[in-house]
Amino acid sequence: MPTSPTTPYAILGMLRQRPRSGYEIRKDLAAAAGTFWSESYGQIYPALRGLARRGWAKRLPDPRGARGPVAPGRAGGPPGARAPRRRKRIVYEITPRGVEALEQWLSEPPRAAPPRHELLLKLYFGDRDRVDAPAAWVKRLLAEETERLHHVRRMIETLPRGAHPHRSLRHWTMALEFVAQQSEATVAWARRTLATLDLMQEAAARRRTASQRRSPME
């Protein structure tokens, strides 16, 4: 999977908090910012190697050693079988050059994201006789956004209150509040749209009934 232009900076932001492995970057980023940003392992590992080549990050020895499959001879495997070799855990740390690159990126205006929403596109090209499938899609969106909203609200509630020394706390709050308000708007839209689609389904049923009544006479 190709790496997006933003992936290296998302990784640098995580590494500025503390050294991490690629696995930890993916897991922690999903936990902290998964409501508005995501990176796959296929994006993270190539980007980490690229950051190391540019001198923006460096590999550290892992004090906890390797992780992965168990060593040969562990109970539970067939006698004489060779277990896969343990995969080494590689931890990365941001460098001063990486901090400079991250600060430069943070000072630049964000790139505009092109609007792409397949559900809205299908609704736009729909017609009055095709309402069952759109209703199911909007119901699914409503369920997903409702869960997302509850998740974000729980995250906001867990943030420290009042004066706090963490340099990013207020920025975390701003980002999460944007997601919460966006989800609230989507939930409200989905509920209104489902009410409209219900009326359209009733009208379509009346048209079918009227058409069936006329057919024998034609």
Side-chain angles (χ1 to χ4, degrees):
M1 181 180 296
T3 301
S4 76
T6 307
T7 298
Y9 299 101
I11 294 172
L12 288 176
M14 298 300 290
L15 293 181
R16 186 169 71 169
Q17 296 176 359
R18 65 175 177 84
R20 285 177 166 96
S21 66
Y23 171 81
E24 290 169 328
I25 290 170
R26 170 69 177 81
K27 179 174 66 71
D28 295 346
L29 186 62
T35 54
F36 55 87
W37 192 263
S38 65
E39 298 285 356
S40 69
Y41 292 117
Q43 293 169 315
I44 288 173
Y45 287 112
L48 276 170
R49 292 191 290 269
L51 290 172
R53 286 193 300 269
R54 300 177 75 171
W56 292 3
K58 65 179 180 180
R59 292 170 57 167
L60 297 178
D62 179 18
R64 290 182 291 176
R67 68 176 180 84
V70 296
R74 180 85 177 257
R82 294 183 60 187
R85 195 179 291 271
R86 277 185 175 273
R87 186 175 60 182
K88 189 160 187 173
R89 177 174 175 268
I90 302 174
V91 177
Y92 288 84
E93 179 183 57
I94 194 170
T95 65
R97 288 180 59 191
V99 172
E100 290 178 7
L102 177 62
E103 292 292 342
Q104 176 63 33
W105 176 76
L106 288 172
S107 68
E108 297 171 355
R111 286 182 293 273
R116 294 178 67 87
H117 199 303
E118 189 171 340
L119 170 59
L120 299 185
L121 187 65
K122 288 187 175 184
L123 286 178
Y124 181 79
F125 288 125
D127 58 67
R128 67 179 190 175
D129 295 321
R130 295 176 60 87
V131 291
D132 291 343
W137 302 334
V138 175
K139 285 179 183 177
R140 184 175 65 183
L141 175 66
L142 176 59
E144 292 172 349
E145 284 296 326
T146 300
E147 175 57 31
R148 184 176 184 228
L149 179 58
H150 290 162
H151 175 65
V152 175
R153 283 175 174 168
R154 288 194 297 269
M155 292 180 69
I156 294 174
E157 290 171 358
T158 61
L159 292 176
R161 303 291 181 181
H164 195 274
H166 199 291
R167 60 188 294 177
S168 299
L169 177 60
R170 290 190 176 181
H171 292 81
W172 290 347
T173 305
M174 286 183 247
L176 291 174
E177 286 179 346
F178 175 89
V179 176
Q181 292 181 27
Q182 189 179 54
S183 288
E184 288 170 357
T186 302
V187 166
W189 172 86
R191 288 172 176 164
R192 292 194 304 269
T193 301
L194 284 173
T196 301
L197 289 170
D198 285 343
L199 296 175
M200 293 175 66
Q201 286 175 318
E202 293 172 3
R206 289 194 297 269
R207 287 194 299 273
R208 287 194 297 269
T209 301
S211 176
Q212 291 169 357
R213 289 174 178 172
R214 288 195 301 267
S215 296
M217 301 174 59
E218 293 176 355

